[in-house]
């Protein structure tokens, strides 16, 4: 079903891209946009993860890293029944993370230096488990394809004001409307996809790491950090905001039509309710084994 949904999404975004091309340049514009969209579909499917990682300046984390990220991720991936994804580090003080890749065999998880600074080992395990849940559910392909197309649609719409043919066909008001409505339509697709999948990834991630409270605690810290610390790469590439575990663009806290993520408070409440329905799972004990007490403010990452 993940591949079917991705195919439907790519077809819908291609249609939107082609429609904008028609409004800008008539039948010729639509044909050019269709050819460009077809090429984007191919490039996006095979290289979308690399494009997104490059946008955020992510650097690979080598095996045997002193932080123990690979060892933790490998153990959580076994719990999730997944191959171990590639790991990347983003040099930004904002605590955050995202997953990308077209399928579980070609997936990557990226975490920020701010995340390692602020979170305990258990909280970090909850975040990585959340991202593994996205990979297992094939959310990463859908969300990364959406990010790539949304960015392209926004750029195409911005060119509309300077495209003489569009002003002749639509007038200045129509051109200005296109500039705002095209990115808005793409953003609505992002919002619908991201919000519904975050709750599901929270639930599955809590099961993978074995303790819902670890992820709930991590979300609290990440929300505070994301609200006060800028993520400059994300600000330059807002179409990728829905990939992150918490919106990096300082979005409103309430659940509404225009939020790329559900309210963090609602996600935390759901995780705490989940924790109240059962005890810590064996997976939680294995992740915690050999780790000192984490009743301190920062993580053990240096």
């Amino acid at each position: 079903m993940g591949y079917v949904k991705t195919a439907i999404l790519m077809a819908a975004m291609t249609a939107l891209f082609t429609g904008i091309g028609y409004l800008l340049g008539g039948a010729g514009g639509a044909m050019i946009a269709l050819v460009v969209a077809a090429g984007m579909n191919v490039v996006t499917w095979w290289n979308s993860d690399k494009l997104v990682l490059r946008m955020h300046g992510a650097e690979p984390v080598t095996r045997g890293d002193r932080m123990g990220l690979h060892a933790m991720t490998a153990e959580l991936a076994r719990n999730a029944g997944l191959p171990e994804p590639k790991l990347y580090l983003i040099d930004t003080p904002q605590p955050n993370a995202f997953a990308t890749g077209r399928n579980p065999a070609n997936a990557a998880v990226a975490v920020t230096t701010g995340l390692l600074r602020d979170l305990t080992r258990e909280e970090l395990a909850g975040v990585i488990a959340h991202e593994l849940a996205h990979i297992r559910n094939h959310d990463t392909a859908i969300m990364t394809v959406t990010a790539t197309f949304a960015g392209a649609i926004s750029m195409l719409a911005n060119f509309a004001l300077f495209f003489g043919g569009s002003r002749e066909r639509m007038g200045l008001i129509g051109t200005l409307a296109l500039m705002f409505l095209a990115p808005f339509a793409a953003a609505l697709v992002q919002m619908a996809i991201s919000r519904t999948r975050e709750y599901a990834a929270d639930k599955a991630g809590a099961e993978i790491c074995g303790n819902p409270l670890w992820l709930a605690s991590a979300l609290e810290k990440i929300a505070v950090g994301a609200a006060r610390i800028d993520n400059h790469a994300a600000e330059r590439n807002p179409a990728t905001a829905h990939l992150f575990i918490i919106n990096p663009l300082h979005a409103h806290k309430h659940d509404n039509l225009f939020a790329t993520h559900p309210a963090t408070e609602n996600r935390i409440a759901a995780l705490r309710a989940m924790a109240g329905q059962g005890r810590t799972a064996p997976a939680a004990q294995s992740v915690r084994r050999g780790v000192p007490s984490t009743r301190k403010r920062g993580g053990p990452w240096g």
Side-chain angles (χ1 to χ4, degrees):
M1 285 301 296
Y3 293 114
V4 173
K5 291 177 182 177
T6 304
I8 293 173
L9 174 64
M10 293 176 79
M13 298 297 267
T14 298
L16 178 59
F17 198 78
T18 304
I20 296 172
Y22 177 79
L23 292 175
L24 292 177
M31 183 59 65
I32 293 173
L34 181 60
V35 173
V36 172
M40 284 184 60
N41 280 330
V42 175
V43 172
T44 298
W45 179 250
W46 291 103
N47 297 296
S48 57
D49 54 340
K50 299 180 182 64
L51 293 174
V52 172
L53 291 167
R54 191 176 301 122
M55 286 179 187
H56 292 275
E59 295 292 338
V61 178
T62 58
R63 289 189 176 276
D65 59 287
R66 64 180 180 83
M67 299 171 290
L69 283 177
H70 268 289
M72 174 191 288
T73 303
E75 186 169 351
L76 292 168
R78 285 193 295 272
N79 294 345
L82 292 170
E84 183 183 352
K86 296 178 182 177
L87 283 175
Y88 288 84
L89 188 63
I90 301 172
D91 187 13
T92 177
Q94 184 189 89
N96 228 316
F98 67 81
T100 183
R102 64 183 182 273
N103 55 38
N106 296 275
V109 173
V111 299
T112 67
T113 53
L115 192 79
L116 301 183
R117 178 198 64 212
D118 292 348
L119 267 56
T120 65
R121 183 178 178 86
E122 288 86 353
E123 291 163 347
L124 182 61
V127 170
I128 293 178
H130 170 98
E131 301 306 336
L132 290 174
H134 276 310
I135 294 171
R136 189 172 67 181
N137 295 341
H138 292 270
D139 296 342
T140 51
I142 297 173
M143 294 165 72
T144 308
V145 165
T146 305
T148 305
F149 263 93
I153 289 171
S154 296
M155 287 189 294
L156 184 61
N158 287 334
F159 286 135
L161 185 62
F162 306 100
F163 199 99
S166 67
R167 289 195 294 273
E168 294 172 4
R169 292 174 56 82
M170 304 166 55
L172 180 60
I173 294 177
T175 302
L176 290 173
L178 175 63
M179 287 179 61
F180 290 101
L181 292 178
F184 179 72
L188 284 179
V189 176
Q190 287 179 285
M191 295 167 190
I193 290 171
S194 178
R195 290 176 52 188
T196 57
R197 294 180 181 277
E198 290 304 324
Y199 284 118
D202 285 344
K203 181 177 182 296
E207 293 169 349
I208 291 169
C209 73
N211 193 326
L213 295 180
W214 292 358
L215 180 55
S217 178
L219 290 176
E220 284 185 310
K221 289 185 178 181
I222 297 171
V224 171
R228 63 181 178 82
I229 302 173
D230 290 336
N231 186 326
H232 298 295
E235 297 289 349
R236 290 193 300 269
N237 302 283
T240 65
H242 69 292
L243 296 174
F244 287 83
I245 189 170
I246 293 288
N247 190 346
L249 305 179
H250 311 299
H252 296 293
K253 293 183 179 179
H254 304 291
D255 267 346
N256 56 58
L257 180 63
F258 305 105
T260 59
H261 290 65
T264 304
E265 294 88 343
N266 294 347
R267 295 169 66 184
I268 292 171
L271 287 164
R272 286 177 173 164
M274 184 179 176
Q277 296 171 2
R279 291 192 252 174
T280 301
Q285 301 297 339
S286 63
V287 171
R288 176 178 283 169
R289 190 181 301 119
V291 179
S293 173
T294 55
R295 293 185 182 179
K296 54 183 179 180
R297 187 172 181 181
W301 308 108

